[in-house]
Amino acid sequence: MTQPTARPPHEHALWLINNVEQGITGMCTLPDGRTRDLPGPVAVGILTVRSNLAIASALVAVAEALRSEE
């Protein structure tokens, strides 16, 4: 069994955002790189998650800016 990686909160937030985005890209893309045809509800769910990731990214950027001012 592998040990979990310890990360500071800021690094963990970035890792989580990137990890979820990679998972979404994997679900939406066929092995040859073409976009997969997704049912409407699935597409809406993916857009919702991407929207939340954009908000999270903005919050991380604000936190980084505030942290660098200290």
Side-chain angles (χ1 to χ4, degrees):
M1 189 167 164
T2 60
Q3 293 290 341
T5 303
R7 293 183 185 89
H10 178 259
E11 287 181 22
H12 180 70
L14 290 176
W15 174 85
L16 189 58
I17 289 167
N18 291 329
N19 192 33
V20 170
E21 179 59 30
Q22 287 175 355
I24 289 172
T25 300
M27 290 187 318
C28 296
T29 308
L30 295 169
D32 63 3
R34 291 182 297 132
T35 304
R36 186 183 305 270
D37 188 23
L38 299 171
V42 173
V44 169
I46 288 172
L47 290 173
T48 301
V49 169
R50 282 199 166 138
S51 172
N52 289 340
L53 287 177
I55 294 167
S57 296
L59 291 173
V60 168
V62 169
E64 181 67 22
L66 292 173
R67 190 168 72 171
S68 66
E69 289 181 3
E70 293 178 356

